[in-house]
Amino acid sequence: MNRRPAALLTLALAACGAAPPVPPSAPAPSASLTASYAARPELQDADSQAVLARYGDAPGLLAALQEAYGERPADHSRPQVPALTGLDLASDRLAYVKRTGWGSVANYTAQYGAYAGTALPYSGLDWTRDGCSAPDGVGLGYREDFRPACNVHDFGYRNLKVYERTAANRLATDDAFYANMKAICAAKGWYARPACYSAAYAYYQGVRIGGGSSF
């Protein structure tokens, strides 16, 4: 059976008073993953709006906001760390660096208080720290909030780049940094928590994207 061209079919339908078929329209652009959060009153500050605008389609930011609002279980897990064996000085020093640089703020603070400025528990460790650098798009308001997490991160970067400089170790140090920031945010009141989590995600992205030259 012969098929008429689409143009002739349209003319025939018009002549009979029937409406010609309407070609399907292009799908409307989808909203960002985090669009439903952008209007919430807890996220109306300039920093949070900047983070939402920049990372709105990032599953990681969505997960962070869901944690902040209690819509998913909190995840403050840190990288697995090796044990101290007491069998080899170099291996134990590296294990200590990972345990301190990938551990909690409380653990780092205790180690810093006991050993900074000394040759204990291992010589050659760098305990210097210089606080936080705010990522692009986020003001300076969270530099002090996250300073304890930044101190742990400094220790990890400055020592692992000397004793075992690998991409995997850098990622683990950054992941521990993010876990420590989220733990700081989780301790805040419910209203301040979402903005803090969004800032923590931006800081994490800052070290993942721009921290390579420091490691």
Side-chain angles (χ1 to χ4, degrees), residues 128-153:
T128 61
R129 55 196 193 180
D130 57 9
C132 302
S133 299
D136 291 342
V138 179
L140 304 182
Y142 285 92
R143 291 182 68 178
E144 289 305 313
D145 294 77
F146 295 148
R147 181 181 291 273
C150 291
N151 290 339
V152 183
H153 190 254

Side-chain angles (χ1 to χ4, degrees), residues 1 62-63 81 101 113 141 144 161 168 175 177:
M1 179 179 180
L62 176 62
V81 296
E144 289 305 313
K161 71 180 180 182
D175 286 349
F177 176 49

Side-chain angles (χ1 to χ4, degrees), residues 12-99:
L13 289 170
C16 296
V22 178
S25 58
S30 59
S32 71
L33 290 175
T34 59
S36 63
Y37 294 92
R40 298 195 183 187
E42 304 88 3
L43 294 170
Q44 293 310 300
D45 60 284
D47 287 347
S48 296
Q49 289 295 310
V51 173
L52 288 164
R54 175 169 294 192
Y55 301 112
D57 282 319
L61 178 58
L62 176 62
L65 290 172
Q66 289 172 336
E67 283 187 43
Y69 282 103
E71 297 167 357
R72 68 186 295 158
D75 180 10
H76 302 158
S77 58
R78 297 176 179 83
Q80 187 174 2
V81 296
L84 298 171
T85 65
L87 300 177
D88 177 75
L89 176 62
S91 296
D92 274 2
R93 178 170 54 195
L94 178 58
Y96 177 83
V97 166
K98 291 179 179 179
R99 293 171 72 87

